[in-house]
Amino acid sequence: MSFLSPTTSSIFGGSGNEDGSAATGHGGMLVNESCLDFLMMELVDAMCRTAIDEDTDREVIFYKLEMLGYRVGQSLVERFTVDRPRFTDTLDVVKFICKDLWVIMFKKQVDNLKTNHRGVYVLQDNNFRWFMRMSTDIGGTDSSSKATPYLWFPCGVIRGALANLGVSSVVMAETSNLPQCKYFLSLSQQSQCRSRAFPSGTFQIKIAKS
Amino acid sequence: MSSSTAAKQYKSLGDDVWKNKVEKINAELFTLTYGSLVVQLIKDYEDYAEVNKQLDKMGYNIGQRLIEDFLARSNIGRCTEFRETAEVISKVGFKMFLNITPNITNWTPDFKEFSLLLEENPLAEFVELPDDAVEGGLWYSNILCGVLRGALEMVQMQVEAHFITDTVRGDETTELRVKLIRFLEEEVPVGED
């Protein structure tokens, strides 16, 4: 099914205004942020509902949510990089994720970026927007565990965004302490994009060395 | 209060809530996420009628939560009749969430059924359906029907909502039909006496 394929830019080639300024997303249509919040909540719930056995199906849920995000990430990048100059290197691409993409999605930038300069990056968001109003009665690891599926969609977005910028990766995420979360990007040049779910909900983005 | 006065009041209320009381985001992320969801559902269910059902069900769940957000921000009291409900849905509801104001048309003589004509639809912005989706009967924005159903049920109205036409399918208009089945008795929640 490809009617929403990010490569068919004629479908997503504009926004509310049929002019070039639409490319940056400014002046495009706006909606209430609650719409996205409600949609995300229901998305996660709906995917979790398809799981019969909580443990073994966690991977399936992860896969579905991550794939949902992947498609969105690809399209977002296509839409929001039209006016930009070419990316100079991988770090430039990751910085785009941390700044521009994060602002588009969460109205703020990533708080902390670390790298080992060998293809592994850690993005830390201390006040993850989707966690801001989440808690459970028990708190602590219970909250973290229940909140983790909400990280899987953004993992896919990151991986999709990277993919469309020519970077192959594996993305993992974890949260141990709401509302903080971390995304682990591992970039790899040759290998296919692979996403593996870990029970703790960590995503590693492996980005290909360029 | 005449209905046109009421309509004007709801319009300015809706405009005010949209302008001053909601956090706004770029619609694209929302549109893309919704589109990605529809693609996923099609992959999972492979049957467009079932996808329609799932979208409606998801919308129903969303509607039950959304109504609280709506009531909190709009501070609207109970509607006295269904005609008022229609105005509120269009000028306040749709306005404060999707920043659109569908036209209300095609009332039945008993005022229990009406249509919403959507001139714009953020969910389907720049979406084109492939032929087999059109032939298979996919209603791309069917989540809206569920949202209406779920939200109105929480305020004691049982309604049925479905799309009649959709520009995404190549139709001239996008028309959503809403029918009041009955008013519901207010029930005391289980556990409270």
Side-chain angles (χ1 to χ4, degrees), chain B residues 112-181:
Chain B
K112 286 208 173 138
E113 212 173 316
F114 66 95
S115 286
L116 288 165
L117 282 181
L118 278 70
E119 277 166 17
E120 295 172 285
N121 181 3
L123 285 175
E125 195 73 6
F126 302 107
V127 169
E128 280 176 28
L129 289 190
D131 290 335
D132 66 293
V134 176
E135 280 156 33
L138 176 71
W139 291 111
Y140 184 80
S141 305
N142 216 41
I143 206 168
L144 292 177
C145 299
V147 171
L148 284 172
R149 196 166 59 86
L152 289 171
E153 187 174 295
M154 296 299 278
V155 287
Q156 273 70 53
M157 275 175 268
Q158 188 187 348
V159 301
E160 195 274 322
H162 64 273
F163 276 95
I164 299 186
T165 58
D166 192 346
T167 51
V168 136
R169 295 166 54 89
D171 299 324
E172 290 279 311
T173 57
T174 301
E175 185 175 343
L176 209 177
R177 194 98 185 120
V178 183
K179 179 175 171 176
L180 175 67
I181 309 289

Side-chain angles (χ1 to χ4, degrees), chain A residues 190-203:
Chain A
Q190 268 82 32
S191 63
Q192 294 294 323
C193 285
R194 267 171 42 237
S195 301
R196 292 166 308 182
F198 290 167
S200 65
T202 34
F203 296 118

Side-chain angles (χ1 to χ4, degrees), chain B residues 99-113:
Chain B
N99 195 25
I100 57 174
T101 319
N103 290 317
I104 301 168
T105 63
N106 293 341
W107 278 106
T108 50
D110 61 2
F111 290 110
K112 286 208 173 138
E113 212 173 316

Side-chain angles (χ1 to χ4, degrees), chain A residues 165-185:
Chain A
L165 293 171
V167 179
S168 176
S169 65
V170 172
V171 183
M172 312 268 294
E174 73 173 16
T175 174
S176 45
N177 185 19
L178 265 54
Q180 194 194 79
C181 67
K182 285 184 184 160
Y183 291 84
F184 300 87
L185 283 64

Side-chain angles (χ1 to χ4, degrees), chain A residues 1 3-4 10-18 22-26 28-36 38-43 45-47 49-50 63-64 67-72 75-76 79-80 104-107 129-130 153 157, chain B residues 18 22-45 48 54 57-59 61-62 65-67 69 73 96-100 120-123 125-130 132-133 138 140 143:
Chain A
M1 179 58 58
F3 62 84
L4 294 167
S10 60
I11 295 179
F12 289 107
S15 86
N17 312 318
E18 294 284 348
T24 57
H26 298 300
M29 283 179 98
L30 297 172
V31 295
N32 189 334
E33 188 178 16
S34 310
C35 293
L36 187 64
F38 288 126
L39 184 60
M40 278 312 305
M41 268 190 264
E42 183 53 29
L43 256 176
D45 271 359
M47 295 300 143
R49 275 199 299 267
T50 63
Y63 175 76
K64 287 188 181 174
M67 274 314 291
L68 273 163
Y70 183 81
R71 286 188 287 264
V72 174
S75 300
L76 274 179
R79 295 279 297 109
F80 288 98
I104 291 164
M105 290 192 60
F106 307 115
K107 293 186 155 185
R129 199 172 176 89
W130 293 351
F153 180 87
V157 175
Chain B
W18 168 256
V22 309
E23 283 271 352
K24 303 168 194 50
I25 54 166
N26 192 296
E28 294 192 57
L29 178 55
F30 176 64
T31 304
L32 291 172
T33 304
Y34 183 72
S36 191
L37 165 67
V38 177
V39 169
Q40 187 64 48
L41 288 175
I42 293 171
K43 281 199 171 103
D44 284 347
Y45 292 97
Y48 293 110
Q54 289 301 318
K57 186 168 156 189
M58 291 180 72
N61 294 335
I62 290 174
R65 296 180 188 127
L66 178 142
I67 187 73
D69 194 347
R73 279 187 229 267
M96 75 183 255
F97 288 107
L98 296 175
N99 195 25
I100 57 174
E120 295 172 285
N121 181 3
L123 285 175
E125 195 73 6
F126 302 107
V127 169
E128 280 176 28
L129 289 190
D132 66 293
L138 176 71
Y140 184 80
I143 206 168

